[in-house]
Amino acid sequence: MGPRVRKAVARAYRLTTRPPGLEEMVEVQPGLTVPRFVLEWSKHGPEEARAFLGCVPGFVELDGKSVLALGRGGADLGIEVARRRARRVVAVDMAARRMKLTEARIEEEEEARLPVEIRPFAGSLAELGDERFDVVLAADAFRRYGAERSSRHLEELVGEMSAHLEEGGLLAVGFSPPWKSPFGGSGDSRVPWAHLVFPESVIFEEFRRVRSGNRAQTFDDIGINRITVARFRRAMNESSLKCLCFETNVRQSRAAPAMRALSRLKPLEEYFTLNAYGVWRQPRSDAA
């Protein structure tokens, strides 16, 4: 790409972008300071947790069960699960700063009495030792971690979650958005599929320009690991778990009917799938 063409492409991309979240630091309470965009993001945590559980089939019972909740906003999900009368909840949160805000909130609210233990995610579930659970809930637990192109984090995490399920236990997964979906790059652009249309170098030149001090060069650097619907299906099919249900484009929106119809056309599936939800069972060792 010549200098003039590159400059024109960069200008075109810049015109499609929105300002990034405010990074000014806000003191929430003594000793706890976070960027303003994290504070704003965290306010949606309880609503996102309820939305996730609303997409989980009713046969996944939480009442009286031991539950592992993990993902971005795992702490908020764990609290909502505990409210639904789970016997014990371990919440592993992949967004450390958001987790701190959730912890600060529950210290002052009735959630402090709920049977939920919140833990940070250190990159592996090995810290759980040999703990096993009746139900594992994974909300957006794959897309932003293990982002290098050669990473097997998706496959490895599926294996780790399986290892922490009781025999006959259930794994419920919500995954969105896949890499090739309209906003699968989670960038600043308002234009669908911009992360696939514009060169990555142009996207991150603008990314760095509006974020002083940030050195990200690629989607990998910001934790977008390019997981497609096909790879997600393959990882689940290759696991030891039995699929009970799997569905895409679950959450309702104005665009949902059209997206669902277009995604049924095989060549378009990856580009018009906004989310995927499914439930898998850990087989019993004595099963025939």
Side-chain angles (χ1 to χ4, degrees):
M1 184 186 300
R4 288 187 179 180
V5 174
R6 180 181 176 82
K7 187 175 181 179
V9 170
R11 185 183 301 114
Y13 177 74
R14 182 174 298 176
L15 290 173
T16 75
T17 61
R18 63 174 68 84
L22 295 175
E23 298 193 19
E24 64 173 307
M25 301 304 290
V26 178
E27 185 177 54
V28 180
Q29 63 182 36
L32 178 57
T33 304
V34 298
R36 184 171 295 279
F37 78 88
V38 174
L39 181 62
E40 295 301 317
W41 175 38
S42 71
K43 291 178 181 178
H44 301 288
E47 178 185 348
E48 291 173 354
R50 290 190 291 271
F52 170 81
L53 292 172
C55 293
V56 173
F59 65 81
V60 180
E61 296 182 7
L62 302 175
D63 190 349
K65 304 296 185 180
S66 61
V67 181
L68 172 64
L70 71 151
R72 300 170 68 231
D76 292 300
L77 178 58
I79 290 170
E80 189 61 32
V81 169
R83 283 175 171 168
R84 300 186 184 204
R85 301 172 60 183
R87 171 173 52 84
R88 175 178 179 251
V89 182
V90 173
V92 180
D93 202 313
M94 295 176 167
R97 292 182 294 189
R98 176 168 160 173
M99 181 191 76
K100 293 294 184 183
L101 292 173
T102 304
E103 289 179 325
R105 188 187 77 233
I106 66 174
E107 287 176 1
E108 302 175 357
E109 300 180 9
E110 63 178 11
E111 281 86 352
R113 298 190 296 273
L114 293 172
V116 56
E117 177 186 353
I118 299 173
R119 305 180 188 178
F121 181 70
S124 169
L125 295 179
E127 62 192 52
L128 295 174
D130 59 358
E131 291 184 78
R132 290 178 178 267
F133 301 86
D134 300 315
V135 179
V136 174
L137 301 174
D140 199 12
F142 304 122
R143 193 169 55 93
R144 285 185 172 269
Y145 302 89
E148 295 179 5
R149 293 176 189 269
S150 61
S151 170
R152 283 185 49 81
H153 178 81
L154 165 63
E155 294 79 5
E156 291 168 355
L157 186 55
V158 170
E160 290 179 357
M161 291 190 296
S162 301
H164 291 290
L165 272 175
E166 296 281 7
E167 291 188 4
L170 298 178
L171 167 63
V173 174
F175 164 53
S176 68
W179 168 244
K180 293 183 180 180
S181 68
F183 296 98
S186 297
D188 298 329
S189 179
R190 298 182 178 91
V191 176
W193 299 287
H195 62 297
L196 303 179
V197 173
F198 289 93
E200 194 168 9
S201 59
V202 167
I203 291 172
F204 280 90
E205 183 177 279
E206 178 66 12
F207 184 92
R208 294 190 301 274
R209 187 186 72 82
V210 297
R211 293 172 174 82
S212 178
N214 195 305
R215 299 182 178 180
Q217 301 281 334
T218 68
F219 287 104
D220 302 324
D221 294 337
I222 62 170
I224 302 297
N225 57 9
R226 312 169 198 256
I227 294 175
T228 61
V229 178
R231 181 180 171 189
F232 178 71
R233 276 203 186 99
R234 185 166 59 250
M236 299 309 303
N237 289 341
E238 292 175 354
S239 74
S240 62
L241 304 173
K242 178 182 178 181
C243 183
L244 302 183
C245 64
F246 178 79
E247 190 175 357
T248 58
N249 288 320
V250 175
R251 294 187 183 179
Q252 295 300 314
S253 70
R254 292 180 180 178
M259 298 293 284
R260 194 174 296 116
L262 289 168
S263 69
R264 293 194 184 104
L265 302 173
K266 196 62 180 176
L268 300 180
E269 180 186 32
E270 292 283 0
Y271 301 96
F272 289 92
T273 296
L274 301 178
N275 56 58
Y277 284 81
V279 180
W280 290 260
R281 185 187 300 279
Q282 178 76 285
R284 298 182 183 278
S285 59
D286 59 352

